[in-house]
Amino acid sequence: MPRRAPLPPPPPPVEIRTWTGREAMLADRAVVLGELVKMHVGPGRLGLLWMWAALAAIGWSLVGTGIIMFEQAIDLVDFVSVIGGIVSLVIGAAVLIPAVAFLCLGVSRDRKVRTLLTAWGALARDPERDRRLRMPEMSLIWLLLSFGLGAVGLALCVIGPASARPGRDTYGLVALVVGVGMVAWLTALIGAVRPWRTAAGWWVS
């Protein structure tokens, strides 16, 4: 698992602040906000999100494959397919569960980052430095990738069940396609909720 940088502390209470002047406070504010913005929409955060989402999709694909093998075993009375289905389900669960857990941990960490951004941004207004922290190019990359992934996920969720035919496509195949589509759709939603606000400098709004 990639090592994550520790979160910076919140700004100190008013009664114990030791800044020598407003400029020193604004300089520290800019440094901390810069680190927090990178943790929020930086390329490393995007890579982690997509990595865990890809592992979740792979895990669900293995689970869906196991379901398909069980369906085939029932139809053909094939014990080899039963064993293969069990192995596929176990491996799929071993990949899917940690990936989902780390995705949830990432969402929780994002919430903490947003809280810190708001706290440090509320110290003062500094339009010039804040303008440099908005990362519009990276935010645009987040939005475009999230839009594309969301479109693919939505298409899989809709087209998969709609194109299934009784007797030809199994329930396991439909579950596999819809599950992968849901992973893509939820990942796109996670990735789309933050970049447009970051580009607008929401921590001082």
Side-chain angles (χ1 to χ4, degrees), residues 44-71:
R45 182 68 188 91
L46 179 61
L48 276 176
L49 176 64
W50 279 60
M51 181 186 72
W52 295 127
L55 287 175
I58 292 171
W60 180 255
S61 297
L62 291 170
V63 170
T65 301
I67 296 174
I68 293 172
M69 295 180 74
F70 275 123
E71 291 179 329

Side-chain angles (χ1 to χ4, degrees), residues 26-100:
L26 291 178
D28 287 348
R29 173 185 178 276
V31 170
V32 175
L33 285 178
E35 290 300 316
L36 289 171
V37 169
K38 290 178 182 177
M39 292 178 182
H40 200 46
V41 294
R45 182 68 188 91
L46 179 61
L48 276 176
L49 176 64
W50 279 60
M51 181 186 72
W52 295 127
L55 287 175
I58 292 171
W60 180 255
S61 297
L62 291 170
V63 170
T65 301
I67 296 174
I68 293 172
M69 295 180 74
F70 275 123
E71 291 179 329
Q72 293 175 345
I74 293 173
D75 293 337
L76 303 176
V77 193
D78 184 2
F79 293 104
V80 175
S81 295
V82 172
I83 296 174
I86 293 174
V87 172
S88 184
L89 283 173
V90 171
I91 297 175
V95 175
L96 176 64
I97 293 173
V100 172

